[in-house]
Amino acid sequence: MTLPLSEEAELDERLYVASVAKAMRVMETFDQSSQQLSIADITEMSGLGRSATQRFVYTLHRLGYLRRDPASKLYSVSAKVFRFVHSMIGANAALERSYPLLSQLAKDTRETVSWVELDGDEIVVIGNVPSVHLASITLSVGSRFAALSSSSGQVLLCQRSEAEVRSLIAHMPDAARERFAGKRDDDIVAMLAKVASAGYSLTAKSFDEDSLSISAPVFDFSGRAIAAINLSTLASRYSEKAALAELVPLVVAAAKGASAG
């Protein structure tokens, strides 16, 4: 997967360092489904040549960002990367300010509560308060999911222009499209309009075969949706009707409390 460029009108070739972009492509091959990889795996997933892959992997390993298992010769991300995670979360003033609200929502519902942000066509879990139930949905910090088919992605994307939404729909991964059960593009656009009007999204079976996911948007001072507060529970504990009556109001209230202004 290639890294998205920042929101600049066009690439400034004088300032763009292609080797840094390639190194990041190597780092991006490691995710929750690909935690330990061989040189061949990284080569295939990054799209780089084998020689270039070996040089970047060697450099990242020498710098301490990758570790290598001597027995299996597989590479994984090292703990040094958490320096960036800590810095990013520590600099997220909205999240820091909202942690008491997340904790209270988790305490009141006994369910998993997360702070979620949009990253291109994906959502990323930035903060999390786990459920106290033994049987629960686990969403670790750093988890990524397709935005359009997730409740958090829907409450964030419904604030975008129709042209942006249609572009994302056109490039939606097959796995994400399957979750819309044959809905046409117009149906998805209409669904997002309803989400915007309701102020929340509730999706069933979005994470596994027995789950409900509820999200509401958090806004900054300008009225821009910057994050979503998500609550994940099991359908065995709440029917959709019960979730709408009991959980949705709590999630919406928490998101309003976390919003600026």
Side-chain angles (χ1 to χ4, degrees):
M1 181 176 68
T2 57
L3 285 171
L5 297 176
S6 62
E7 297 178 1
E8 295 182 2
E10 58 184 76
L11 184 67
D12 189 334
E13 297 286 356
R14 299 169 303 166
L15 301 176
Y16 188 75
V17 182
S19 59
V20 174
K22 290 177 181 178
M24 292 300 99
R25 283 166 65 180
V26 169
M27 293 299 292
E28 282 247 316
T29 60
F30 297 91
D31 58 25
Q32 59 213 54
S33 62
S34 305
Q35 297 179 357
Q36 290 190 306
L37 299 172
S38 65
I39 290 289
D41 295 329
I42 299 170
T43 299
E44 180 180 355
M45 295 170 69
S46 68
L48 299 172
R50 185 176 179 86
S51 177
T53 299
Q54 287 178 318
R55 293 197 301 273
F56 283 116
V57 168
Y58 175 82
T59 302
L60 290 165
H61 177 240
R62 291 290 298 178
L63 291 173
Y65 293 109
L66 293 179
R67 58 189 175 193
R68 181 176 182 270
D69 183 275
S72 67
K73 298 182 180 180
L74 297 179
Y75 291 88
S76 59
V77 176
S78 77
K80 189 174 183 178
V81 174
F82 280 99
R83 292 183 181 181
F84 302 114
V85 176
H86 185 269
S87 175
M88 182 192 71
I89 294 176
N92 193 323
L95 172 58
E96 288 292 310
R97 186 175 62 247
S98 302
Y99 250 122
L101 289 168
L102 301 183
S103 299
Q104 189 61 50
L105 180 59
K107 180 180 179 181
D108 292 342
T109 62
R110 300 170 63 82
E111 301 294 349
T112 298
V113 174
S114 304
W115 180 276
V116 181
E117 296 185 6
L118 193 63
D119 183 22
D121 60 355
E122 296 180 317
I123 55 165
V124 186
V125 177
I126 304 297
N128 178 265
V129 182
S131 170
V132 297
H133 294 289
L134 291 177
S136 63
I137 303 299
T138 301
L139 298 176
S140 57
V141 171
S143 297
R144 288 177 171 266
F145 305 95
L148 275 168
S149 56
S150 68
S151 66
S152 293
Q154 289 169 12
V155 299
L156 295 172
L157 291 174
C158 72
Q159 313 294 328
R160 302 293 182 89
S161 69
E162 183 175 329
E164 288 181 276
V165 169
R166 287 190 179 275
S167 177
L168 286 169
I169 293 172
H171 296 91
M172 184 165 39
D174 292 340
R177 183 170 283 278
E178 287 175 5
R179 295 183 181 182
F180 285 105
K183 282 187 174 68
R184 300 174 303 160
D185 290 5
D186 288 345
D187 297 329
I188 298 174
V189 171
M191 178 269 294
L192 289 178
K194 289 181 179 178
V195 169
S197 177
Y200 71 88
S201 175
L202 188 157
T203 58
K205 299 182 179 179
S206 61
F207 186 75
D208 58 26
E209 290 302 310
D210 183 33
S211 66
L212 294 175
S213 178
I214 303 164
S215 295
V218 176
F219 298 97
D220 65 10
F221 283 105
S222 68
R224 181 175 63 96
I226 57 170
I229 290 181
N230 171 266
L231 183 147
S232 298
T233 186
L234 298 178
S236 57
R237 282 199 289 274
Y238 287 91
S239 65
E240 286 193 47
K241 182 178 180 180
L244 282 167
E246 300 175 33
L247 299 178
V248 166
L250 296 176
V251 175
V252 170
K256 286 183 178 179
S259 296

